[in-house]
Amino acid sequence: MKIKKITTIFLLVTILYSCVKLKKENQSSLVENGIEKTWENFLTIVQEKDKAAFKEVSSKTIRCYLCLENTLAEQKELDAKRESDPDWYNQLYDKDIYIPIDRFINEDFDLIFNPEFVSILKEKKTIFYKNDNEEVELYEVLVTTTEPSAEHEGGQHSFQFIKKKGEWKLREIGTIP
């Protein structure tokens, strides 16, 4: 009985040590590769509405479903495509969803990065998720923007950054679910 307790305590201490070590390694990795600093810089840029700096930290196109229906006119256009074009889904995800950066800045930046949303991004807990499924270095920054409740399952916004020529670039803005 005493050996069981000692073994259990040893096992728990080992697991706890491993978790703490892994967390420190992950934090060290985030600092070393600059993704945390990139995120902080990104938040400053969107808060200050510095569109020139936003363009510098972004890819040439941004994958953004939100950008396809963030106005009433866009919603109506998307609904019309769904009703009339049998290939609407493929068109949407193969072509339409990729927004050139200049168009994003002109048409979508202010609609998405309004003061209330930027405040939420700055205040809420941020999760950095390294995507190991690609040959490029890629991180998703996840922010819970809608807390779960009895009426809503909750939701997150995802900001995907890719490392290009040693610099992190915003590649995608999405939502979960």
Side-chain angles (χ1 to χ4, degrees), residues 48-61:
E48 293 175 357
K49 297 200 174 290
D50 186 345
K51 294 177 181 178
F54 184 85
K55 185 174 180 175
E56 287 295 316
V57 299
S58 299
S59 296
K60 291 180 181 178
T61 61

Side-chain angles (χ1 to χ4, degrees), residues 108-156:
D108 300 299
F109 182 92
D110 292 326
L111 293 172
I112 292 174
F113 296 111
N114 61 60
E116 180 184 0
F117 184 63
V118 172
S119 178
I120 290 169
L121 293 178
K122 292 183 80 152
E123 293 171 6
K124 297 290 186 169
K125 181 181 176 187
T126 303
I127 299 167
F128 296 91
Y129 174 74
K130 184 174 184 180
N131 188 335
D132 291 323
N133 296 333
E134 297 198 22
E135 295 176 8
V136 294
E137 199 167 356
L138 182 73
Y139 268 90
E140 286 192 58
V141 179
L142 304 169
V143 182
T144 300
T145 50
T146 305
E147 295 294 333
S149 68
E151 296 82 35
H152 194 279
E153 66 184 314
Q156 291 183 316

Side-chain angles (χ1 to χ4, degrees), residues 1-16:
M1 185 64 121
K2 198 173 189 181
I3 292 177
K4 249 185 182 177
K5 285 183 181 178
I6 291 172
T7 304
T8 303
I9 290 171
F10 178 74
L11 182 61
L12 289 173
V13 169
T14 302
I15 291 171
L16 181 61

Side-chain angles (χ1 to χ4, degrees), residues 71-88:
T71 66
L72 187 55
E74 290 172 338
Q75 289 172 11
K76 288 180 180 180
E77 183 181 328
L78 193 55
D79 287 343
K81 281 183 182 179
R82 284 184 183 126
E83 292 174 13
S84 64
D85 184 357
D87 196 40
W88 72 269

